[in-house]
Amino acid sequence: MTRTGADYVWFEDDFPDLAEAYCFTLVRGLSPTELLSRLDGRPEAPLRGMAAVVDAAFAYDEPERGERQLVATTTVGAWTLLIEPNGYLGVTEERAVPASAGTCWVSHFLNVNGLGTFLWAEDQVLRLCFDPMYPDERWGTTPDELLDAMKQTGFHFEEQAPQTDLSSPAAFALAEHLTGTAITPTLLQDTLFTCATVRSR
């Protein structure tokens, strides 16, 4: 059974600080160390739980602040999860598409203004990209391949706005559909994350 945005409404309730602005990326077949190497990551001390990661990300301060950001990674099955509090590297085409060489890259982002992006790339090819609020406007080499899954997971394709907007939770569900990897409260609360700083622009 396909999971839907309704299965991810817990995220905003349980992790309100992160839910305001985030980027979640899943990359197949690379270890956290390998992924961070592709992103020119500089190792930082590991942190347990997303609350500690968010606090550290917003407290991060050094002369290069504004040019680097703290990120957290962990292995989930055959995938590495990369979480950016208040970041967007995972959906930045000029960074994400080259970094997808030889693998699959699935990322979604939301900022404090409600602007979002969902990006799916494979082996340096952008397969699909769109704003979850506006799923009718898609681009990439296969913009319609996931259309049925997008409808099933809860993206709204009609002109009339839905009573409850589940576009952001639906991005989690669509990422799970593509990767087979579920993001859970326990994963975010209990994991000891491998952390690093990466260039933010």
Side-chain angles (χ1 to χ4, degrees):
M1 179 181 295
T2 300
R3 302 246 286 170
T4 71
D7 294 304
Y8 279 96
V9 294
W10 56 263
F11 176 63
E12 184 173 352
D13 295 332
D14 293 0
F15 301 91
D17 292 339
L18 180 61
E20 284 188 354
Y22 60 85
C23 187
F24 277 69
T25 303
L26 285 159
V27 183
R28 185 180 60 213
L30 297 181
S31 69
T33 300
E34 290 169 329
L35 174 57
L36 290 170
S37 177
R38 290 193 180 194
L39 301 175
D40 298 322
R42 295 179 185 171
E44 298 285 341
L47 294 167
R48 186 174 300 279
M50 200 36 53
V53 171
V54 171
D55 287 346
F58 282 95
Y60 179 70
D61 192 8
E62 64 171 49
E64 289 185 309
R65 183 170 183 170
E67 297 179 7
R68 300 188 72 82
Q69 67 183 69
L70 186 80
V71 300
T73 64
T74 190
T75 300
V76 187
W79 298 76
T80 283
L81 171 66
L82 171 75
I83 302 176
E84 306 170 58
N86 198 33
Y88 52 88
L89 184 154
V91 296
T92 303
E93 291 184 29
E94 56 267 31
R95 301 284 299 281
V97 175
S100 73
T103 187
C104 177
W105 181 289
V106 178
S107 186
H108 56 100
F109 146 88
L110 182 73
N111 72 10
V112 294
N113 298 316
L115 299 174
T117 304
F118 187 99
L119 182 148
W120 168 31
E122 289 200 24
D123 197 15
Q124 302 187 80
V125 175
L126 180 64
R127 299 285 299 277
L128 170 67
C129 197
F130 66 96
D131 183 333
M133 283 283 289
Y134 305 100
D136 286 305
E137 301 173 14
R138 303 178 301 280
W139 61 98
T141 60
T142 56
D144 297 332
E145 183 170 334
L146 297 180
L147 195 54
D148 288 342
M150 290 172 67
K151 293 176 180 178
Q152 292 169 12
T153 50
F155 292 100
H156 190 73
F157 286 85
E158 321 234 332
E159 288 186 7
Q160 185 176 0
Q163 289 185 337
T164 302
D165 176 32
L166 294 179
S167 57
S168 295
F172 281 93
L174 186 62
E176 182 179 344
H177 172 82
L178 266 171
T179 65
T181 300
I183 305 301
T184 66
T186 300
L187 172 67
L188 299 183
Q189 289 167 348
D190 298 343
T191 296
L192 181 65
F193 290 96
T194 299
C195 296
T197 62
V198 298
R199 183 169 52 85
S200 59
R201 56 182 68 133

